Amino acid sequence: LVDQRFLLFRDGDAVRSLDLRAAWQTVLRQRLAVPDGGSRPLLVPERISLSPALHEALTAAGFEVDDLGPAGQRLRAVPKAVSYTHLRA
């Protein structure tokens, strides 16, 4: 493991690397692409500020986002494929 991000491994005579962050993003993207029965509401909706493009992308991915006009947006629910632990950094 290099810099808590890259995994190095041998493949025959070659040494390969795997970007763990990119791999995890791929896993999440694949999970979101498979509809599994909707979303889970948040216990406390979160006020957020999104660009129009990101708002559209999240809505298309199954997130429930209310537009509050100039006050931003409110995230009400997340797809079942996303665990709550992935929402906070």
Side-chain angles (χ1 to χ4, degrees):
L1 192 60
V2 178
D3 293 332
Q4 299 295 311
R5 181 169 175 183
F6 299 96
L7 181 65
L8 298 177
F9 59 95
R10 293 180 83 168
D11 182 14
D13 291 335
V15 175
R16 306 227 184 240
S17 67
L18 174 65
D19 183 337
L20 296 174
R21 182 178 300 156
W24 180 243
Q25 289 172 349
T26 300
V27 167
L28 283 178
R29 213 173 5 261
Q30 289 172 349
R31 285 183 183 177
L32 290 172
V34 177
D36 67 346
S39 59
R40 292 185 291 196
L42 298 176
L43 292 175
V44 178
E46 184 80 23
R47 184 173 282 191
I48 55 178
S49 180
L50 303 171
S51 69
L54 186 54
H55 180 248
E56 183 178 322
L58 288 177
T59 302
F63 290 80
E64 293 181 21
V65 182
D66 294 330
D67 190 2
L68 303 176
Q73 294 84 22
R74 179 176 49 225
L75 178 63
R76 288 187 300 114
V78 298
K80 288 183 179 178
V82 177
S83 75
Y84 293 125
T85 58
H86 299 135
L87 296 176
R88 293 256 182 212

